[in-house]
Amino acid sequence: MPPETFEFQVEARQLLQMMIHSIYSNKDVFLRELISNASDALDKLRLEALRDEALDADVSDLHIDIETDAEARTLTVRDNGVGMSYEEVVQLIGTIANSGTAAFLKELREAKDAASAEGLIGQFGVGFYASFMVADEVTLLTRRAGEDSGTRWTSGGEGTYTIERVEDLPQGTSVTLRLKPVDTEDQLFDYTSPWKIREIVKRYSDFITWPIRMAPEVAGPKDGEQPEDGAGSTPPGPETINSMKALWARSKDEVGDDEYHELYKHISHDWHDPLETIRMQAEGTFEYQALLFLPSRAPQDLFTRGHKRGVQLYVKRVFIMDDCEALMPEYLRFVKGVVDAQDLSLNVSREILQQDRQIELMRRRLAKKVLSTVKDMMSARPEDYATFWREFGRVLKEGLLGDFENKDAILAVSSFATTRDKDEQTTLQQYVSRMQEGQQHIYFMTGESRAAIENSPHMEAFREKGLEVLLLTDPVDEVWVEAVPEFDGKQLRSIAKGEADLDTGDEEDGARAEREKRQQEYAELLSWMTKQLADEVKEVRLSSRLTVSPACIVSDTHDVTPALQSMYRAMGQEVPHIKRILELNPQHALVEGLRRAQAERPEDASLVETAELVYGMALLAEGGELSDPARFTKLVADRLERTL
């Protein structure tokens, strides 16, 4: 079969050009990526061999080889792992199959510095393409375990690549780079130099659990010496250049932060150091070790359906499973790391794990350890905590909906924007400590943005009385506030729902009497407007939350909010229409004028239109949608015309 020539996918071509010409400050990392890919291939082969006894694959000596040729200027990284089929090469090499490609490339172009760009590359998991930073041409030879024929993929990284089927290939994958000339000013070193290869492996890949082998350096004869006759001598075999020591099994005193960070980067394909490293060791009836990491940046696909979550599972240092979801709850899906259990079967499946009592126990302990670590970070390193919450706060709050065992722990490490300070966030405990004397509730409001909430009519009386309000702008906030009714004995209350009970105990009898008098004065208007707007509202009443605006719309105490209704509809769920409550500000000239006009001209049809306008303005003020925008516009135009 002759070679076929393909063009790189547009996004892949753009990515390649950016990587080759402008992104990387440290080009050594190309080798880390190739070794990481080889290690993954070895892990996958051992796992497949465990689960498929009929697989025709040699697993007796799984390893990674590195070969250099200074004369030909080539570097080859070879593994005898699972390999790829022809179809997998077509699918995986040359394209970027990810729904966030466009957004990723946009962020990459806008990255302010090389470090930011490298972080994005790592998040996207396209390390193979890093080879083109140091090579003019890359050739990949691969044969999938169990198949007879192999595949050759070749490209110069410009616009095209060729693929052809080849015979007589060994099992696994080899990547050969035809290296660019050495240019130390551009950080292009001599990657055929054995000492340089050893330096990179020691720095980035020493912990890899498979042997990384390389031919030993052979010293030439000293000056004046005659070279020995090599007849009958056997050249030394390749030597292992990495320690292969599992970091989680070593004492903390033996391992430096740099080694932990490199393991994290290998596991997560992130190019940034983690924010926190967490070590755990459980002994007794069920033994396991865990090495977990809190990233410093959220991955691109954190909120997409295809996001892979979970940590790597080992059994007695034997790799069993990537992304083991059973070990980490959904709301901690950003946590990366390794869990090494001593008492599980090597042939355990995902289905068995989901019902395993020991796995459930580990999951609970790991979750508690992560949350306690975040709490410690909150008090000891507030800047790091602020970074963590900015990146992962939205995800962590999802735990309030399902992990009731850790609800208090999640609340303890949660922080929120409030009206007190636009730059500082606060915890619920801090909010409670600042509550005014006589204040009974923790007040909050949900919305699309801080500005939208602060400009809402619902805020007026709270602002006037100096009452602090939590400003909740994440979509998950609409849901978790329904699941968390109180904190520290104080009820959480939405300022956009129910009656605004702002009586902190110091209201004078005169003010209370004045309020009751107004209620009597407006009783007829309220009854009339409730009847006229019956299709839209369940009740019209006087408001104690308004000081400037003429009206606002609130939900009844136990009703679903409009934002939550929209979320349910977006998920395909039918939600019945829920009528809300229109509140009027009796101190506003428009409302007072409407009361007088309705008392004097109860049959005036134009007053019905005025009532509609008051309702429409209140709906728009909170960011709602009018049921009949054309009619509202016509009513406004007619009223404006009469003023001219």
Side-chain angles (χ1 to χ4, degrees):
M1 177 180 175
E4 291 185 81
T5 300
F6 298 87
E7 287 193 357
F8 279 104
Q9 182 191 44
V10 173
E11 291 87 351
R13 191 161 59 245
Q14 293 174 347
L15 176 62
L16 271 171
Q17 293 307 306
M18 283 188 282
M19 292 177 75
I20 293 169
H21 297 297
S22 61
I23 288 177
Y24 288 86
S25 56
N26 179 11
K27 295 180 171 61
D28 290 357
V29 294
F30 84 92
L31 186 56
R32 178 182 74 185
E33 293 301 305
L34 293 180
I35 292 174
S36 182
N37 290 344
S39 174
D40 289 345
L42 296 171
D43 286 337
K44 289 174 183 176
L45 178 62
R46 182 166 60 180
L47 199 55
E48 286 195 21
L50 279 171
R51 295 179 176 173
D52 183 2
E53 294 180 359
L55 182 67
D56 181 18
D58 180 8
V59 294
S60 60
D61 181 27
L62 299 180
H63 63 277
I64 301 167
D65 277 323
I66 300 178
E67 298 175 4
T68 61
D69 186 330
E71 188 174 333
R73 299 275 315 141
T74 62
L75 167 69
T76 299
V77 178
R78 179 181 293 108
D79 68 75
N80 56 347
V82 71
M84 289 182 283
S85 66
Y86 183 90
E87 291 72 21
E88 287 173 325
V89 173
V90 171
Q91 178 185 356
L92 298 174
I93 311 294
T95 62
I96 303 177
N98 188 295
S99 59
T101 301
F104 162 73
L105 286 169
K106 181 174 183 292
E107 285 193 45
L108 194 56
R109 293 189 197 97
E110 295 174 355
K112 295 179 180 177
D113 51 44
S116 301
E118 289 180 10
L120 290 167
I121 290 287
Q123 290 178 36
F124 209 68
V126 288
F128 170 78
Y129 295 120
S131 302
F132 289 99
M133 294 186 301
V134 300
D136 289 323
E137 182 181 79
V138 176
T139 300
L140 178 144
L141 289 168
T142 184
R143 177 173 70 82
R144 204 181 202 293
E147 295 189 357
D148 295 328
S149 64
T151 306
R152 176 187 285 116
W153 180 99
T154 306
S155 177
E158 292 300 323
T160 63
Y161 55 93
T162 62
I163 302 181
E164 62 180 314
R165 295 184 189 274
V166 291
E167 303 299 327
D168 300 324
L169 285 183
Q171 162 194 303
T173 301
S174 71
V175 181
T176 299
L177 281 56
R178 196 180 73 209
L179 296 166
K180 296 178 179 180
V182 174
D183 184 352
T184 53
E185 289 187 5
D186 192 30
Q187 303 293 308
L188 269 170
F189 300 105
D190 183 4
Y191 295 112
T192 66
S193 168
W195 75 264
K196 183 62 179 177
I197 299 301
R198 291 167 186 270
E199 177 200 45
I200 295 173
V201 170
K202 186 66 179 175
R203 188 189 327 148
Y204 293 124
S205 307
D206 192 54
F207 58 84
I208 295 290
T209 53
W210 303 107
I212 302 173
R213 296 173 182 167
M214 187 175 174
E217 294 185 69
V218 179
K222 296 180 180 179
D223 292 342
E225 290 184 359
Q226 294 295 320
E228 295 181 6
D229 184 3
S233 66
T234 303
E239 60 184 18
T240 300
I241 59 175
N242 63 319
S243 69
M244 297 188 295
K245 292 182 179 178
L247 297 189
W248 56 91
R250 292 164 61 185
S251 148
K252 189 176 182 180
D253 297 335
E254 296 177 11
V255 187
D257 287 341
D258 289 346
E259 293 177 275
Y260 283 134
H261 293 174
E262 289 308 323
L263 175 62
Y264 163 74
K265 292 171 184 176
H266 168 71
I267 292 171
S268 66
H269 300 290
D270 185 359
W271 294 54
H272 288 276
D273 290 340
L275 199 60
E276 181 66 272
T277 301
I278 305 171
R279 288 181 58 106
M280 282 184 70
Q281 181 158 346
E283 298 178 346
T285 55
F286 182 50
E287 297 184 6
Y288 64 91
Q289 296 164 312
L291 186 57
L292 306 178
F293 301 96
L294 302 183
S296 57
R297 287 192 176 193
Q300 287 283 114
D301 59 350
L302 186 61
F303 292 96
T304 62
R305 184 171 296 178
H307 175 73
K308 292 182 179 180
R309 67 180 180 87
V311 297
Q312 292 186 348
L313 174 63
Y314 283 71
V315 174
K316 297 177 181 176
R317 303 189 194 176
V318 175
F319 175 79
I320 298 298
M321 191 179 299
D322 229 343
D323 307 313
C324 182
E325 297 179 0
L327 282 171
M328 200 61 64
E330 176 78 16
Y331 70 92
L332 294 178
R333 58 184 177 272
F334 53 85
V335 176
K336 300 298 180 184
V338 170
V339 175
D340 190 353
Q342 304 302 308
D343 305 308
L344 291 175
S345 164
L346 290 176
N347 202 23
V348 69
S349 68
R350 290 185 185 273
E351 291 72 29
I352 293 173
L353 285 176
Q354 289 172 355
Q355 290 147 29
D356 189 281
R357 186 186 65 81
Q358 292 178 333
I359 289 290
E360 175 60 27
L361 180 63
M362 290 167 61
R363 172 191 173 107
R364 291 166 62 186
R365 289 180 177 174
L366 292 172
K368 288 183 182 296
K369 181 64 175 179
V370 170
L371 293 173
S372 67
T373 300
V374 175
K375 187 174 183 180
D376 292 342
M377 184 194 299
M378 196 177 199
S379 56
R381 290 154 38 217
E383 289 186 4
D384 285 345
Y385 166 77
T387 298
F388 169 83
W389 189 254
R390 182 182 67 249
E391 297 293 324
F392 303 109
R394 287 183 296 166
V395 187
L396 198 68
K397 286 184 286 188
E398 293 175 12
L400 296 170
L401 304 176
D403 190 353
F404 300 111
E405 180 182 354
N406 288 315
K407 182 190 71 174
D408 290 341
I410 296 171
L411 284 175
V413 298
S414 298
S415 56
F416 311 94
T418 82
T419 53
R420 179 174 179 267
D421 189 326
K422 69 177 183 179
D423 298 319
E424 294 289 332
Q425 293 204 318
T426 191
T427 65
L428 292 180
Q429 194 63 57
Q430 290 169 332
Y431 179 101
V432 170
S433 69
R434 293 195 296 264
M435 286 173 57
Q436 293 186 12
E437 186 176 352
Q439 182 180 339
Q440 299 298 314
H441 308 297
I442 297 172
Y443 295 112
F444 71 87
M445 185 173 175
T446 58
E448 291 187 358
S449 66
R450 182 186 185 102
I453 298 175
E454 288 185 325
N455 294 326
S456 169
H458 300 94
M459 289 289 301
E460 293 173 1
F462 292 86
R463 186 181 297 111
E464 184 179 74
K465 289 180 174 287
L467 290 168
E468 186 175 2
V469 179
L470 302 177
L471 310 177
L472 308 180
T473 57
D474 294 329
V476 69
D477 294 332
E478 292 282 353
V479 189
W480 76 258
V481 290
E482 302 292 335
V484 182
E486 60 89 28
F487 174 81
D488 196 22
K490 305 293 183 182
Q491 186 180 18
L492 273 73
R493 174 165 291 191
S494 169
I495 67 171
K497 293 181 73 171
E499 294 275 6
D501 181 12
L502 300 181
D503 182 3
T504 56
D506 58 356
E507 186 178 36
E508 297 180 358
D509 292 340
R512 194 173 292 109
E514 178 66 22
R515 186 151 49 87
E516 292 173 357
K517 178 183 177 183
R518 278 189 183 141
Q519 190 67 40
Q520 293 175 356
E521 291 177 350
Y522 278 84
E524 185 176 343
L525 175 67
L526 299 177
S527 175
W528 175 79
M529 286 188 70
T530 299
K531 181 179 179 181
Q532 299 302 324
L533 300 174
D535 290 342
E536 302 293 342
V537 302
K538 67 169 68 174
E539 179 188 359
V540 180
R541 67 189 184 200
L542 293 184
S543 178
S544 58
R545 73 186 90 220
L546 296 173
T547 60
V548 178
S549 301
C552 69
I553 298 176
V554 299
S555 299
D556 219 344
T557 305
H558 301 293
D559 283 350
V560 177
T561 64
L564 202 50
Q565 291 180 52
S566 298
M567 289 173 61
Y568 286 142
R569 291 192 184 99
M571 293 186 290
Q573 299 185 28
E574 288 294 327
V575 182
H577 175 65
I578 299 175
K579 294 182 180 180
R580 300 172 69 202
I581 299 167
L582 178 65
E583 289 192 350
L584 302 179
N585 177 6
Q587 296 176 303
H588 196 281
L590 173 59
V591 176
E592 171 60 20
L594 181 58
R595 182 190 70 81
R596 288 197 306 269
Q598 195 277 329
E600 296 169 0
R601 311 189 306 277
E603 303 301 325
D604 189 344
S606 67
L607 296 180
V608 178
E609 295 178 350
T610 304
E612 286 185 53
L613 287 170
V614 171
Y615 169 76
M617 289 189 297
L619 190 61
L620 291 174
E622 69 163 14
E625 295 182 3
L626 297 164
S627 58
D628 190 350
R631 175 172 172 77
F632 182 82
T633 303
K634 182 177 181 303
L635 292 178
V636 172
D638 289 345
R639 294 303 172 98
L640 290 173
E641 182 182 351
R642 295 176 200 172
T643 64
L644 299 177

